[in-house]
Structures are given as structure tokens and as C-alpha cells.
Amino acid sequence: MESSTTESAIVKTLHLLKHLLPSQGPLKDFIHHNTLHAFQHLSFHQGLAHASSLLETNTYLTLPEYIDLYKKGEIDPVILDGCIMKEWPQQNVTVQRNKMFVQKTTDPRISHLALLRSLWKSEFSLDLDGKTHSPLFRILCSFLDQGIASSPFPLRHIDFLQAMRELDQSSWVSIFSHRTSRARKLLADPKTQIEDVLALIVGAPSLWAHYIFDQQWSHPGWSGLICYLEDQPDSLLEKRKINFHDLVLFESLIELDALDYYLGESRQPLSDVFHGPALEQILVPSEISDSFKILSCWQDAYEATYYRGCLTTLHQAPTQSPPEEPLFQATFCIDDRESSYRTYLEKQNSGIETFGTPGFFGVEFYYQPENSFHVTKLCPAPVFPKHLIKQSRTSLKRKRDLHLEPISHSFLGGWLISQTLGFWSAVQLFINIFRPSLSPATATSLRHMDKISELTVENEHSHQHERGLQIGFTITEMTDRVYNMLLSIGLTKDFADLVYLVGHGSSSNNNPHYAAYDCGACCGRPGSVNARVFAHMANHEKVREELRLRGLEIPRTTLFLGALHDTTRDEIEFFEEKQWPPDFMTKHQNNLKFFEQALVLNAKERSRRFLNTPLSTSAKRASEQVKIRSVSLFEPRPELNHATNTLCIVGRRALTKNIFLDRRAFLNSYDASLDPDGEILTKILNAAVPVCGGINLEYYFSKVDNQKLGAGTKLPHNVMGLFGVANGIDGDLLPGLPSQMIEVHDPIRLLVVAEHSAPVALQAVRRNPATFEWVKNEWVRYASIDPHTKNIFMYEDGEMKPYSIFGAAPAIDNLDQYVVSHRDNLAMGILK
């Protein structure tokens, strides 16, 4: 009975740990997420207090930083007083405000989680982590390797623990560093359980769960990755059979091996010298301290000051109707980096109309390039498609470089290449310092798909399946996706002759988190294939016939075109141009000048963030410099990605077209007049809230504690097995974002604004409990703006409460001058 009880306790412990550990996938699928997702069942401030205490992390800015923001005017005194009165209703406001500035805030992080494992040093004078982490990380890296190793792991296609067992029994050298007998015997026995090993390491069963917590939190990056791979093995191109249970068992055996070698088998049990609190006490959320309340009050006031400026501008900006006869229409990803590009497009001609939707364009599938053994997902990470799009007849050939060929990994081949090509390589490197250019080492979205290749979009025969996936889409399936996407963005009439679908990606020569610069809606990959697939579907005659039967008629004079915007280089590429009819090609050539000019102006606005680009730099010169940055080996910040994101606006473009957003807003097009019950709004929020909220919170937490919740500076990062990064060759995997991606970010929770009446907006977000949890517990803030009156309501305490507008929004007379006024964040304003 006792054995089954302890086994059940171990299972529960592993389940709880999987929920708490970082859930970041491999680099190729780097998807932003809420770093502290395990605490999301609590209210925002309660969750942060518990996480801070349990994990010993910072979850807010420091008090001096808040005071500095107050002095700069980024925290309004009136709003601060309001937050004080709400937090301390019985206190005198003046007295409490003085405490906000002069009271020395004590560190609220009081964790007991690491006390048990710390006894190895304090009581036994043994650095157990130092003895075990290095061999453990190297074994894991070799087993999971996706192509960096010169020789593949010999038993990579079988279960991890079985592979370790066979290696230890059949190799000349044991996989255990110290080769003690008990560890080797226990590994050799397939019946060995975690409980058997912990009994030898810890002693009393009451501390086993505590020890596992302590053990796994000594390297949360590796443990989190294993948990992720156990649940989503397809996230690795070369799949590996590994699970969290086997990791804990194997690590415990490595520890037993070290303990037996350094302390002997007759050592005193660890449980005999531990007198700390039980694990259950540690995991229970504690009371929020006064010092923590002060920081949370500052954070609320900081955010509320920013929200007031945003909502005031949205309320007061004039609503501009869409053009009756649009010159052309372009649909972009909702990505905040695309908002400025859309502004500069529309600014040139009033007939240009733009829309925003998640960058996979509602078309979910796996993609297989020609000559590839693997398929990759091109849709949001939680979605598991049933369709496969295959590429064929590609002309894209990889430029060969002997330095990157397998022969360079061998002893003799490496020596020969270094002796023969070494001098020329040094010359090339010297030239690249002064004249950076695209090379085989450059990761660029333009190589994701050959623009003149063929794609199998249509499923013409029901038996066309491969890998358990249907090749292409049927006519009805294509119609469903085109109809749903166009309806969701409100494009159901007044079609232009040319409608562009613009996906996005990026280029980088020095960024291990490259996938984080691509499209999150495409599972961290460029949106080029999706744009091209949707255009094919929308141009299909049979699809248009079915759309017509559903009441959505696309004129025969309308052509959909796929494109890709490289947000790092500010370049754009269009697909299948040679297949367009001549009259459409002429119209497209006339439109190109608008796209190209918008790219130049967009590069100019982006460059104000780059310290080595003077604010006085011309737009043309800025455009040239951003291209150089993207391929420079010495540029750790080729692009700032989502830095400074704070808003998600779900509504008509008419609501935001006359507003300067400072590249801080996700823009999802939506027309409430087509959705009186809010059902379409619910679908949009189900995607936008967790995706945009996850991006926002990963930036938030990477900013407030870049060492523990982020990845630190990326300069010493070493790519591990093509699936993660670590400092050096034996460090823990680093989840979160490096400092170069968050330096200019302001840690402000995302404000989601839905354009609909308050009752419908509330009903829409309540329909899905998972989405509503974000809003109810205020991990994102939620507001609505009425499409008729422009009255604003804010979610608070379970209801939508009227939001009072006071003051005037800034008026921007000259956008070109305003964006170069200084390098910091600029206030939202109304464009004249």
C-alpha cells in the first residue's frame, strides 16, 4: 500500500512540474507564450506574487524605475492617487503616496524550494550540480541533436532510457562518469523506478516530491523542453522518444553515481539533516506583502496612464470611411510590425485599403518542400492540420559552401579545408566586416519557398494521402476557408481589381531566435506559402461559384495575389507574376511604386530605434542601412521584433486609419455590422487573446527579469543541437527572450479593444472559458468601443464599466517629422 501511495505521489509531482516548467519548444518552432502560464488561474497580481516567491524572480520593475517613470510624466499623479485609493481605501491618500516614494521595499522573494538540494553543499560539502549537470546536458544534447553533431547518436531511434541502458551495457566506457556499481545495476534493471533511486539518495519518502521539484528547477530549461517534446514529439524534425519520467529517473541515477563515489554508500540520508517546510506549504500562495502591493500599485498606475492616452485617441479620432472604388486592397498579418507599413501605403493614395488577419490567412496545413524528407507546420502551434501542401518543380538551389559540407566535420577533411581555404575564408570575413551581404549562412524567409515552384493546393482525388495527411484541399474545403477569412475581416463587397495577400518573414545573420522574427501564426515560419495558397483558392473558379451560392460574390475582374514582406530588410516579393494576365500585370506595375515607397518610409521609422543610425538620416539611406543590418555578423539587433507591443485592436480599419500607433498595435480587421451576435468576434478573440497576449507577456517578463525569465544577452549564446540556446557548452537551455530583443520594451499588459457594443463584446469573450481566463484574471486588459457612439467600456470586476474620457489626444501635423523627434516611445496621436 505504501509503495502504491508513493508512486501516486511521484506521478502527481511530475504532472504538477510539467505545468510549472517553461513550455518553450525547439528553436524552429519558437512561439511566444506567457512565461508564467502556470499561474494564470490566479489574478494577475496574485499570480505574480506567488511566482516571485516560489521561483525567486522579479515580476515588476524596481521602485527606482517606477519613480523615474513618474518624474518623466509616464505615470500620471492623478491616476496614481486613484490606484492608491483602490488598493488602500482606508488610508489617507497623501500619507500612502509618501510611502510609495520613501518606503524601502523589501525583497518579496522568499523561496524555500531550493533549501533541500542546497544541503549537499552546506552539510556534505559537495557541489552535486557541478558534478552531474555537465554529463547530463551533454547526453541529452547528443540524443536530441538535429544535425549539428558530426556523428549522429548511435541509438537515437529507440526510447531514451532503453538507449542509455544498451549503451552502458555494450560500450567500453560507462555512461556514468564515476562508474559506481549501484547506479549501473539499477539502470540495467528495466523494473527500476524513481522511488527506488530516491530511497537511496534522499531517505524518507515524505521528501521525495520536494527533491524532484528541487532537482528539476536546477535546470528548468532542459526539463521544460523534455516536457514539451513528450507532449509534442512532432516539433522535432528528427523525432526522439523521450519523456519527463525517464529524465527524472536517469538524472537521479547520475546523482546516485556521484554521491556513491564522493560520499560513499553508507552516507547519512539527506532527510536526516533537513528541517525546512514541507513542499505543500511552499506551493500554497502566500499573502501579498505591503512591499509587493506598492510595486503592483505602481504597475497599475503606469499601465492606466498609457491606456488613457490610447483610449482617448481612439475615441476622438475621426472615423474615415473606406474608398468606394479602391485602387487596390492588401491584407496583412495582424503583426504589430505591419501597422506602420500599412499606414505608409494608405498615406500615399486614399484609394488604397488595407486589412489585418492572422498571417496564416485561415489556411492550416503542413508544408513539404521539394526533395525534403520532413514536413513543417504552417499554422498556429495549437492547431494540428489534416492537409499537406507539397512543392514541386522548384528552381531554388542551395549555394554550396565547403565550409558547411559534412566533410568539414571530419578530422582529415577539416584539416584539409582549413589549410587550403582558410586564407580565403579570412579574406571573406574581413570583406564582410565592411560590406555585409547575403551568404549561405544567412537565414532568410525568401528561401522558404521558391516563388516560381508549383504547389499542390487542390485535392483532385480522394485517395491522395501521404503521411496520414490529405494532399491539398477539396473545393468545399477551399470555399470554407476563403469565405470565413473574408467574412472575418469584413471584405465581402466592393472588391478592388487587385487584392494582395501579404505574408511576412525576416532575414538574419546573427540571431539564434530567428523563428521569433517570423510569423507566429505560421508556427514561427514565413507566411509566403500561406499567402500563395489562399490566393490560389480565392482565384479558383469553382470556389467562386460556391461562394456565390453563399451570398459572397467576388467579381471576375478581381485577382488575388500572394506576396511576402521581409520585415528585417523591408523588402517585398510577389509570387506567380508570370501567370498573371497582361492587364493585371500592368496594374500591378503601377501599384509597385506605392509598395516600394512605403518600404522606404517604413525603414525610416524603424531606424529611429537604432542608435547607430542618426535621426537626420534620409529615408533612402535608412532603407539601405536596415538591409545591411540584417546580414551583418556583428549586429546583435537586426530587428527589434515585437518590442514595445501593448495593444490589440479588433475592428474596422476606419477606426485606426487616422491614428499614429508607433508600431505598438496588433490590428485585426473586423466589421461588427456583419456580426450582430458577436460569434465572429468570439473566433477572433479565441486566437488574438492567447497569441497576442502570449507575445506581450513574454516580452513583459523577459524585461522585468531578463536573467531568470528571459535569456540574458545573446552574445555568449551557443546553439545546442539546433533546438535551443545555452551559455557555453554545458549550460541550461535558456527560455524567454535575450536582452537585445527587449531593451526598448515597456512592460505593460496588452490592452485588447474590440469594436462592438459592450454587452456583445463581453458575451463574445465569455463564450470560451480558456479565453475568458485571460480577461477575468487580467493577464490582458479588455475594452470595447461602440461602432456608433464610440463610447468606451473597460472590463473590471466581472462587468464592462463605462470608461471616462478626459483631455485631448495629441494632433500630429507632420508624421515624417514626428517619428524622428526622439528615439523613445511616442504618444499615440491623431494624424492631420
Side-chain angles (χ1 to χ4, degrees):
M1 179 65 70
E2 181 181 353
S3 175
S4 62
T5 302
T6 54
E7 181 181 357
S8 175
I10 295 294
V11 171
K12 290 180 180 179
T13 300
L14 296 181
H15 178 75
L16 181 58
L17 260 172
K18 287 182 69 173
H19 183 58
L20 288 171
L21 286 164
S23 60
Q24 182 169 297
L27 287 178
K28 77 175 184 65
D29 288 328
F30 190 98
I31 304 298
H32 295 290
H33 64 287
N34 178 9
T35 312
L36 300 182
H37 66 277
F39 305 90
Q40 204 168 299
H41 63 287
L42 302 170
S43 67
F44 181 70
H45 293 303
Q46 287 178 329
L48 266 54
H50 188 32
S52 178
S53 172
L54 183 64
L55 308 180
E56 295 185 289
T57 63
N58 293 321
T59 50
Y60 298 111
L61 296 173
T62 62
L63 181 59
E65 287 175 309
Y66 284 122
I67 294 175
D68 185 55
L69 290 169
Y70 180 87
K71 293 178 178 178
K72 291 179 178 178
E74 295 186 43
I75 298 179
D76 187 281
V78 176
I79 291 179
L80 178 61
D81 285 351
C83 293
I84 291 173
M85 287 188 287
K86 182 178 179 181
E87 185 64 52
W88 295 278
Q90 307 301 324
Q91 298 289 333
N92 180 277
V93 175
T94 303
V95 173
Q96 186 60 41
R97 188 194 311 118
N98 291 335
K99 291 182 180 180
M100 300 283 289
F101 288 87
V102 300
Q103 179 178 324
K104 183 178 180 181
T105 57
T106 57
D107 189 349
R109 298 171 296 153
I110 305 172
S111 175
H112 301 284
L113 193 59
L115 288 179
L116 180 58
R117 195 175 180 80
S118 66
L119 294 176
W120 292 126
K121 279 188 179 180
S122 61
E123 298 295 328
F124 297 92
S125 301
L126 176 65
D127 181 7
L128 187 60
D129 289 349
K131 303 297 183 183
T132 60
H133 280 184
S134 179
L136 174 66
F137 296 167
R138 293 187 181 195
I139 288 172
L140 289 173
C141 193
S142 298
F143 182 77
L144 297 174
D145 178 71
Q146 297 291 291
I148 285 183
S150 56
S151 299
F153 194 83
L155 301 171
R156 61 191 181 279
H157 298 305
I158 63 175
D159 178 84
F160 171 72
L161 205 57
Q162 182 183 351
M164 296 301 104
R165 188 176 294 120
E166 291 191 18
L167 277 179
D168 192 64
Q169 294 174 347
S170 60
S171 301
W172 289 96
V173 180
S174 172
I175 61 173
F176 293 107
S177 302
H178 308 99
R179 300 181 293 280
T180 59
S181 60
R182 286 202 300 184
R184 298 191 69 182
K185 288 180 181 178
L186 286 169
L187 176 63
D189 184 359
K191 297 181 180 179
T192 298
Q193 296 297 319
I194 294 175
E195 295 87 338
D196 302 326
V197 187
L198 291 182
L200 301 175
I201 295 177
V202 183
S206 60
L207 290 181
W208 291 355
H210 194 163
Y211 190 82
I212 293 175
F213 258 83
D214 204 351
Q215 178 192 72
Q216 296 306 306
W217 275 108
S218 65
H219 48 70
W222 279 107
S223 301
L225 177 69
I226 300 306
C227 292
Y228 187 94
L229 295 179
E230 179 180 358
D231 295 334
Q232 301 188 51
D234 290 337
S235 59
L236 288 178
L237 291 178
E238 292 283 351
K239 296 181 185 178
R240 298 291 185 266
K241 298 178 181 179
I242 189 168
N243 60 62
F244 190 39
H245 173 278
D246 289 355
L247 168 66
V248 174
L249 175 56
F250 183 68
E251 182 174 4
S252 299
L253 288 169
I254 288 181
E255 290 183 346
L256 179 65
D257 175 60
L259 291 170
D260 283 356
Y261 180 82
Y262 289 102
L263 302 179
E265 294 184 8
S266 59
R267 64 186 176 277
Q268 183 182 13
L270 189 64
S271 56
D272 287 359
V273 295
F274 180 70
H275 306 290
L279 179 63
E280 292 76 12
Q281 294 176 271
I282 298 172
L283 295 178
V284 173
S286 56
E287 291 286 332
I288 300 179
S289 65
D290 287 339
S291 58
F292 204 90
K293 285 182 180 179
I294 287 176
L295 294 179
S296 67
C297 187
W298 275 111
Q299 180 66 26
D300 283 341
Y302 179 34
E303 294 174 340
T305 302
Y306 173 74
Y307 297 154
R308 185 185 67 180
C310 297
L311 295 175
T312 299
T313 304
L314 283 171
H315 177 76
Q316 296 178 352
T319 301
Q320 182 174 330
S321 301
E324 294 183 3
E325 296 183 6
L327 178 65
F328 67 81
Q329 292 157 330
T331 300
F332 292 82
C333 182
I334 65 173
D335 193 287
D336 48 312
R337 291 168 293 177
E338 298 288 38
S339 63
S340 55
Y341 187 32
R342 292 173 61 183
T343 295
Y344 289 118
L345 265 178
E346 295 164 338
K347 184 183 174 186
Q348 298 177 71
N349 190 299
S350 60
I352 298 175
E353 187 177 13
T354 69
F355 299 85
T357 191
F360 75 115
F361 301 108
V363 187
E364 80 294 352
F365 54 84
Y366 287 99
Y367 169 61
Q368 184 177 17
E370 189 174 36
N371 301 321
S372 173
F373 296 105
H374 306 289
V375 299
T376 55
K377 185 188 293 186
L378 291 182
C379 59
V383 178
F384 293 94
K386 299 179 181 179
H387 301 84
L388 174 66
I389 299 294
K390 301 186 70 173
Q391 180 191 47
S392 61
R393 298 187 183 181
T394 176
S395 64
L396 192 63
K397 304 296 181 182
R398 181 175 68 87
K399 184 179 179 182
R400 298 191 58 152
D401 188 333
L402 279 176
H403 301 86
L404 305 178
E405 294 297 319
I407 190 174
S408 66
H409 295 176
S410 66
F411 177 79
L412 180 60
W415 180 83
L416 286 172
I417 288 176
S418 64
Q419 298 301 312
T420 56
L421 300 180
F423 174 77
W424 175 240
S425 299
V427 173
Q428 284 183 311
L429 179 61
F430 181 79
I431 294 173
N432 196 265
I433 293 175
F434 300 100
R435 297 188 63 183
S437 59
L438 288 168
S439 71
T442 302
T444 173
S445 57
L446 300 178
R447 295 177 184 153
H448 182 61
M449 176 196 69
D450 182 5
K451 62 179 292 184
I452 63 172
S453 62
E454 293 186 3
L455 300 177
T456 54
V457 180
E458 183 176 354
N459 178 265
E460 298 178 347
H461 304 286
S462 60
H463 65 272
Q464 288 182 314
H465 284 74
E466 196 172 300
R467 301 171 182 258
L469 303 170
Q470 176 182 296
I471 299 177
F473 294 78
T474 65
I475 298 299
T476 300
E477 289 171 337
M478 289 192 283
T479 305
D480 290 339
R481 283 150 183 81
V482 174
Y483 180 83
N484 290 334
M485 199 282 277
L486 294 179
L487 184 64
S488 72
I489 65 174
L491 180 55
T492 58
K493 60 181 180 178
D494 298 329
F495 287 89
D497 289 344
L498 292 178
V499 181
Y500 296 92
L501 286 304
V502 186
H504 69 97
S506 66
S507 298
S508 177
N509 225 17
N510 183 13
N511 180 30
H513 293 83
Y514 167 69
Y517 283 1
D518 278 339
C519 182
C522 297
C523 207
R525 297 181 177 87
S528 50
V529 183
N530 298 76
R532 191 173 160 191
V533 166
F534 185 92
H536 177 96
M537 292 178 172
N539 289 330
H540 200 295
E541 289 186 8
K542 293 183 179 179
V543 170
R544 293 195 179 186
E545 288 177 6
E546 286 204 15
L547 287 173
R548 193 175 300 112
L549 295 176
R550 300 187 189 189
L552 197 162
E553 183 164 359
I554 300 175
R556 294 184 179 275
T557 55
T558 295
L559 179 70
F560 287 78
L561 315 171
L564 179 73
H565 173 208
D566 189 315
T567 57
T568 311
R569 296 174 60 81
D570 264 321
E571 292 180 333
I572 193 167
E573 181 177 71
F574 298 90
F575 304 126
E576 300 180 308
E577 294 168 293
K578 293 184 178 179
Q579 301 178 24
W580 303 348
D583 56 333
F584 284 105
M585 192 64 183
T586 302
K587 294 176 183 177
H588 171 65
Q589 292 297 326
N590 293 331
N591 295 339
L592 273 180
K593 62 182 180 182
F594 297 114
F595 283 103
E596 296 296 336
Q597 179 63 12
L599 289 170
V600 172
L601 295 173
N602 194 55
K604 172 59 180 173
E605 179 175 335
R606 288 177 54 215
S607 69
R608 76 181 184 87
R609 295 286 190 178
F610 304 140
L611 296 180
N612 60 350
T613 303
L615 291 174
S616 58
T617 301
S618 68
K620 183 179 180 181
R621 178 59 180 158
S623 178
E624 295 170 352
Q625 290 187 350
V626 297
K627 292 178 175 59
I628 294 174
R629 290 178 69 90
S630 70
V631 293
S632 174
L633 289 169
F634 307 98
E635 180 49 68
R637 304 170 187 82
E639 182 181 355
L640 297 176
N641 201 18
H642 299 289
T644 75
N645 75 89
T646 50
L647 286 170
C648 176
I649 302 174
V650 182
R652 297 166 298 161
R653 180 56 173 162
L655 184 68
T656 56
K657 191 170 184 177
N658 292 312
I659 297 176
F660 171 71
L661 296 166
D662 199 23
R663 293 169 57 84
R664 306 186 75 175
F666 300 95
L667 299 177
N668 198 316
S669 295
Y670 166 73
D671 190 343
S673 67
L674 301 176
D675 185 36
D677 297 328
E679 294 184 1
I680 296 175
L681 180 59
T682 295
K683 294 178 182 178
I684 292 175
L685 294 175
N686 286 344
V689 169
V691 171
C692 300
I695 291 172
N696 172 267
L697 289 175
E698 184 157 34
Y699 273 82
Y700 178 108
F701 294 121
S702 295
K703 175 69 174 186
V704 297
D705 195 337
N706 194 239
Q707 296 304 312
K708 291 191 174 182
L709 299 178
T713 175
K714 71 179 181 180
L715 299 183
H717 283 181
N718 182 44
V719 178
M720 310 292 282
L722 293 179
F723 54 75
V725 296
N727 287 333
I729 59 173
D730 289 328
D732 187 23
L733 295 184
L734 300 171
L737 306 174
S739 60
Q740 287 80 7
M741 291 174 68
I742 51 86
E743 288 167 331
V744 301
H745 184 69
D746 289 340
I748 293 174
R749 275 174 289 174
L750 186 76
L751 174 62
V752 180
V753 182
E755 189 186 18
H756 216 307
S757 64
V760 174
L762 180 58
Q763 182 185 15
V765 79
R766 278 182 178 275
R767 285 194 179 104
N768 186 340
T771 303
F772 187 52
E773 182 183 69
W774 287 81
V775 173
K776 179 182 65 175
N777 293 335
E778 297 187 345
W779 290 79
V780 301
R781 303 306 307 275
Y782 186 57
S784 68
I785 180 168
D786 192 284
H788 305 294
T789 65
K790 300 197 76 172
N791 290 336
I792 294 176
F793 292 79
M794 194 89 162
Y795 180 87
E796 189 176 354
D797 299 328
E799 58 181 326
M800 301 297 287
K801 296 183 177 180
Y803 186 88
S804 299
I805 299 294
F806 56 94
I812 302 172
D813 295 321
N814 188 313
L815 177 59
D816 296 336
Q817 293 180 4
Y818 186 64
V819 296
V820 296
S821 55
H822 58 81
R823 296 188 186 275
D824 295 332
N825 290 325
L826 297 168
M828 281 178 60
I830 301 173
L831 300 172
K832 295 291 185 180

